[in-house]
Amino acid sequence: MRLRSDHPQVELSWGTQLFSDRPKPDVLKLRKRVTAWPLEFTFKADYTTATRDFSYGLMCRDAVVKGDITINMPQQQVQYRKKLPLSGGAVLVVDASCRLEGQKLRPDFALSFEFGTHSSARGDGSAVFVGGGHGGGSFDVQQRFKVAKGMALEVCGNVRLPSPAARYSPESGHLVLGEGALCLHVAQVNAVVHV
């Protein structure tokens, strides 16, 4: 019997502008945090360099229940989101929002579950499991790297691991371990500035 691996390769791809002939961040993110107990406000402004789109808003976290309040000015929407950790790494997400359409308020409420969600203790990185077909899947990852005081580089992407499969063929006498490649995709590299 011979042991063989079907995944010796690594695939690396990117959709970021940082690796082009004119490197620049995909999104320039400006953040300003102000605390007025029991609320912590974060003013945000994002500029997408490829499309030249500018978006802005206000995020707020309450100190009592620790939920997030988001105000989206362009969509005229207020949203409250609270994540409740459950056993086994699952998270129950409670969403409530209200949007102004014309002259009417449109309320919305949703409950959802997130599985395979992990955030770093410092809040500078996260990984979320994204289910795929045939029992496979991948992880959407985000990591911030401090560059200087008030400045960080944010890398967003996806990681897909080889499937842990084992097959034995009596005709050839081969035992095959694993299927597919280790795939790394860098989707965005963003500049984050805290003012």
Side-chain angles (χ1 to χ4, degrees):
M1 172 172 63
R2 283 191 337 195
L3 183 64
R4 197 173 61 136
S5 173
D6 277 354
H7 60 83
Q9 70 272 22
V10 174
E11 294 178 13
L12 178 62
S13 62
W14 55 83
T16 179
Q17 297 179 47
L18 195 66
F19 303 121
S20 66
D21 56 343
R22 300 180 77 195
K24 58 186 170 185
D26 293 292
V27 180
L28 177 60
K29 298 181 174 188
L30 297 175
R31 301 291 185 263
K32 175 65 178 170
R33 188 171 293 151
V34 177
T35 302
W37 197 89
L39 301 175
E40 181 181 272
F41 298 94
T42 303
F43 300 92
K44 64 176 216 154
D46 294 348
Y47 177 73
T48 305
T49 57
T51 60
R52 297 184 179 185
D53 286 335
F54 179 75
S55 63
Y56 57 93
L58 171 71
M59 296 177 288
C60 179
R61 174 165 276 219
D62 72 277
V64 180
V65 184
K66 306 246 188 265
D68 293 322
I69 303 165
T70 305
I71 299 172
N72 186 324
M73 300 300 280
Q75 292 184 6
Q76 297 183 334
Q77 178 175 329
V78 177
Q79 179 183 19
Y80 183 82
R81 172 177 267 210
K82 172 66 181 160
K83 292 185 174 187
L84 305 164
L86 304 173
S87 64
V91 176
L92 173 66
V93 181
V94 179
D95 274 315
S97 66
C98 191
R99 186 176 63 222
L100 182 64
E101 286 183 5
Q103 298 295 325
K104 293 189 175 195
L105 290 175
R106 301 277 185 204
D108 190 30
F109 180 80
L111 288 175
S112 60
F113 290 97
E114 290 181 0
F115 297 96
T117 301
H118 172 74
S119 295
S120 68
R122 294 188 317 254
D124 58 359
S126 66
V128 177
F129 179 74
V130 181
H134 309 296
S138 62
F139 292 90
D140 283 341
V141 293
Q142 175 183 346
Q143 181 67 43
R144 282 193 182 173
F145 302 95
K146 186 176 179 179
V147 176
K149 185 177 179 180
M151 292 187 68
L153 196 64
E154 179 184 74
V155 180
C156 305
N158 185 274
V159 177
R160 187 173 68 233
L161 303 173
S163 299
R167 286 188 316 239
Y168 174 72
S169 172
E171 295 87 33
S172 66
H174 289 160
L175 174 64
V176 178
L177 298 175
E179 293 180 333
L182 170 64
C183 299
L184 304 171
H185 177 72
V186 179
Q188 289 184 347
V189 178
N190 304 321
V192 183
V193 179
H194 292 272
V195 291

